[in-house]
Amino acid sequence: MSATGLSSTSAPSIAEPPSTATEPASGRRRRRGMTATNKRNLRTGLLFISPWIVGVLVFILYPVTYSIVLSFTRYSGMDAPTWVGVQNYITAFTDPLVAKATSNTIFFALIAVPLGLLVALTLAIAMNQNVREVALYRTIFYAPSLIPAFAMSFIFIVFLNPQFGLFNQVLNLFGGPNINLLGDPTGVKIAIILMAQFGAGNAALIFLAGLRNIPKTIYEAARVDGAGPGRQFVAITFPLLTPVLLFNLITGVSGALQVFTEAYIVTNGTGDPDAGALFYMMYLYKTAFGFAELGYASALAVLLFLAGLALALMIFWLSRRFVNYDVEAA
């Protein structure tokens, strides 16, 4: 009797699955219960994004995985890779040229990224003015961004030439001496930073889109309350542009970590004088294709990837303090 009673009372609770297990089961049941239309839509969606999936697997996931494997080997590209464990990473942390290239890259990023954001925001505000020739102004402001990096580098080489460059001719008009900016370790970095600002048009367009999305009614209400242009920028424009600012900041930092073309052309691939323009990507390139140390170069690439990932996560974490997604709060 008791056994029968126990089985009759306790069986339902024992047979009843835990609440955490019912949700996946119900999810599976829902998936099994997909209608024919849903299945067809799923197949169509997968078919449309299949080129992207193949591209990611072939051109991103496979090279990244292969580079990580190579980073633990000694490999010249001509013979079979030899497993060396973490020796390449130990070498990277003791290599003085890696330290020099890293400090040059940090110097570039700390100045070029904030300056680039400022230039891009100024261009966007100028392109957002309500004037008749605004289309012409936007074209003029954006045009320098269309110049390829290698062409801009050659322009700067001629412009900064210490003998006949326009930069020194202007200095001479005001009684200044000739300055060989490209012959100085710090000067060459500053020249490359200034060169990078000519590509600010892309970020300016994104800022412009953000400016155009701010409701005009907010500005009208602010003007009714007596807020001037400066107060409107501080209280309305800048807070509502912070999501766009975050995007441009992330892309700017990513670009700064990979600065290469300008430095390579301006210094003829040497990074001199005194390794002043030897940026991280340039040293990585020289290690891989100049010294044929593909394993060591792969380790440098992995370290660069981890540094970029850490910076991006840190910026996203800090963005909770300054990014505003609430229009009503502005």
Side-chain angles (χ1 to χ4, degrees), residues 22-325:
T22 57
E23 294 178 3
S26 61
R28 287 194 294 271
R29 282 196 296 272
R30 282 196 298 269
R31 285 194 292 274
R32 292 194 196 100
M34 290 177 65
T35 63
T37 303
N38 289 338
K39 290 179 180 177
R40 185 171 60 253
N41 289 339
L42 178 61
R43 287 195 298 269
T44 304
L46 290 174
L47 180 63
F48 270 102
I49 65 172
S50 57
W52 179 85
I53 295 175
V54 173
V56 169
L57 293 176
V58 174
F59 298 110
I60 296 180
L61 191 59
Y62 172 73
V64 168
T65 305
Y66 190 59
S67 181
I68 292 174
V69 174
L70 279 185
S71 69
F72 296 101
T73 66
R74 181 182 297 110
Y75 182 49
S76 66
M78 302 298 293
D79 49 3
T82 304
W83 184 265
V84 295
V86 295
Q87 183 57 48
N88 287 329
Y89 292 94
I90 295 174
T91 304
F93 283 104
T94 57
D95 188 345
L97 286 179
V98 170
K100 182 69 176 179
T102 303
S103 65
N104 287 338
T105 305
I106 293 174
F107 180 91
F108 177 86
L110 288 178
I111 299 178
V113 175
L115 183 61
L117 291 175
L118 181 62
V119 172
L121 181 58
T122 304
L123 289 177
I125 293 174
M127 290 191 288
N128 195 40
Q129 299 305 305
N130 188 20
V131 293
R132 288 181 54 188
E133 300 81 5
V134 65
L136 175 62
Y137 295 147
R138 288 175 182 173
T139 304
I140 293 173
F141 290 145
Y142 183 72
S145 301
L146 299 176
I147 302 176
F150 70 91
M152 185 61 69
S153 302
F154 284 117
I155 292 173
F156 261 72
I157 290 174
V158 176
F159 178 73
L160 297 175
N161 187 282
Q163 278 77 42
F164 55 82
L166 182 61
F167 176 71
N168 279 302
Q169 290 185 21
V170 173
L171 283 181
N172 293 336
L173 286 178
F174 294 95
N178 281 359
I179 297 178
N180 186 7
L181 208 57
L182 300 182
D184 180 77
T186 303
V188 69
K189 282 195 285 282
I190 294 175
I192 294 172
I193 288 171
L194 295 177
M195 208 182 306
Q197 306 315 313
F198 284 86
N202 294 323
L205 283 184
I206 299 173
F207 272 128
L208 179 62
L211 288 172
R212 304 290 291 179
N213 281 334
I214 299 177
K216 296 187 182 303
T217 53
I218 299 179
Y219 290 107
E220 293 170 358
R223 281 193 290 271
V224 171
D225 291 339
R231 179 61 180 165
Q232 291 177 31
F233 178 82
V234 173
I236 300 173
T237 305
F238 188 77
L240 293 182
L241 275 182
T242 48
V244 181
L245 177 67
L246 174 64
F247 175 81
N248 281 336
L249 178 61
I250 292 289
T251 55
V253 170
S254 175
L257 294 180
Q258 302 175 63
V259 57
F260 172 77
T261 305
E262 299 89 343
Y264 189 86
I265 294 176
V266 166
T267 65
N268 200 22
T270 64
D272 289 332
D274 196 22
L278 183 67
F279 295 106
Y280 195 93
M281 277 298 294
M282 192 170 168
Y283 183 58
L284 193 158
Y285 174 84
K286 292 178 68 174
T287 302
F289 304 105
F291 309 141
E293 297 181 7
L294 296 179
Y296 185 39
S298 297
L300 295 178
V302 171
L303 291 176
L304 179 63
F305 169 75
L306 293 177
L309 181 64
L311 278 175
L313 292 175
M314 186 183 69
I315 292 173
F316 274 116
W317 181 74
L318 292 175
S319 68
R320 296 180 300 177
R321 300 175 182 272
F322 69 87
V323 174
N324 174 43
Y325 294 100

